Amino acid sequence: MERIDRDKLPKHIAIIMDGNGRWATKNSMNRVLGHRKGAEAVRAVVKTCRKLGIKYLTLYAFSVENWLRPKEEVRALTALLKNYLEEELNEMMDNNIRLMAIGDIDALAGGVKTTLCEAIEKTSGNQGMCLNLALSYGGRDEIVDGVKKIARDIRSGTIKEDTITKDMFSQYLYFPEMPDPDLLIRTSGEYRLSNFLIWQLAYTELYFTDVLWPDFSREHLLEAIADYQRRERRFGMTSEQLSKD
Ligand code: FPP
């Protein structure tokens, strides 16, 4: 078992949960069963993060591009999400977990959107950990939406063009109070960002594993965190500069 330094935990972990389909094929199952097993892996990872004391966990549950999948698969994923939210709401309350969502939530089917908004509302006062689901999410869409909001504020005279800074731009993204991820995990041996948090990942440590998402366990998560803790984050500076602080 990997040893974790509790004083050097990433504050924000983001995960691209990939490989449900391949897991299903490997186990001679329908893709939907791969997603179902993937939802179980979600439960375990949320529990472990909460226990460790991770403050933000962002999961890429559905991308804007995922709408292009076969209708039955989209329907199954939506149903799984609704089911997850209904079943986990009490658990979130008991464990002081706040639910959030980023993405084009209005694009979600009515039933799941209502369940999601109710869970967000009900858990809004919880402060133990924030579970942030990226749903119908696209990183470039998020940036373009931010640019549009800034343009509106300039037009209305709320802000001036020359006061725009990187920090201020972050305030126009979907979840302004969310710190940038410290660690990004992508499963299933793919080495891409797939339009996930592309603004926020600028200085994030990237961790790739061949494990397919449904097989991703508590131990795999601890391994990823231990790997993160062995790295030196320099943010463009030198090691010598960092050791002076
Ligand atoms: C990628 O695997 C996974 C998804 C597109 C969906 C992720 C959804 C879940 C893990 C389950 C439901 C989520 C929650 C929050 C309860 P893939 O289908 O692209 O796999 P493949 O690349 O092997 O085909």
Side-chain angles (χ1 to χ4, degrees), residues 61-204:
F62 196 86
S63 71
V64 270
E65 292 81 14
N66 287 152
W67 290 114
L68 300 172
R69 292 197 174 195
K71 271 204 179 65
E72 316 81 71
E73 186 170 339
V74 171
R75 224 177 286 132
L77 275 168
T78 310
L80 260 179
L81 175 67
K82 187 165 188 288
N83 186 265
Y84 173 84
L85 295 172
E86 285 165 353
E87 285 185 7
E88 296 300 309
L89 183 57
N90 286 340
E91 194 77 8
M92 287 186 221
M93 291 309 291
D94 289 348
N95 289 289
N96 201 15
I97 295 174
R98 172 186 177 196
L99 181 73
M100 258 302 286
I102 52 172
D104 182 11
I105 303 307
D106 288 333
L108 298 175
V112 67
K113 188 183 154 192
T114 308
T115 308
L116 177 70
C117 292
E118 282 171 5
I120 290 175
E121 172 65 29
K122 180 131 196 255
T123 60
S124 62
N126 294 347
Q127 292 182 348
M129 178 176 91
C130 178
L131 169 61
N132 181 31
L133 299 181
L135 295 166
S136 190
Y137 175 85
R140 288 185 173 178
D141 301 65
E142 181 178 23
I143 293 171
V144 169
D145 285 347
V147 169
K148 284 183 188 161
K149 281 185 238 159
I150 289 189
R152 254 179 260 136
D153 279 356
I154 292 176
R155 219 181 309 123
S156 70
T158 320
I159 58 164
K160 288 208 163 56
E161 184 188 324
D162 42 339
T163 62
I164 300 173
T165 61
K166 287 172 280 187
D167 285 344
M168 187 233 211
F169 184 74
S170 300
Q171 296 304 306
Y172 281 84
L173 296 175
Y174 292 151
F175 188 9
E177 71 195 74
M178 174 181 92
D180 291 343
D182 302 293
L183 169 64
L184 170 86
I185 299 171
R186 181 170 189 147
T187 57
S188 88
E190 305 286 351
Y191 300 84
R192 286 188 295 277
L193 295 182
S194 300
N195 203 13
F196 185 47
L197 302 175
I198 47 179
W199 172 273
Q200 297 90 335
L201 292 176
Y203 289 100
T204 303

Side-chain angles (χ1 to χ4, degrees), residues 17-23 31 34-40 42-43 59-63 66 69 73 77 80-81 84-85 133 135 188 190 212-213:
M17 311 180 288
D18 198 7
N20 293 351
R22 274 162 286 164
W23 183 92
R31 291 181 59 84
H35 293 312
R36 194 173 296 167
K37 193 79 175 41
E40 281 172 35
V42 168
R43 287 174 218 262
L59 302 178
Y60 205 4
F62 196 86
S63 71
N66 287 152
R69 292 197 174 195
E73 186 170 339
L77 275 168
L80 260 179
L81 175 67
Y84 173 84
L85 295 172
L133 299 181
L135 295 166
S188 88
E190 305 286 351
L212 301 174
W213 177 252

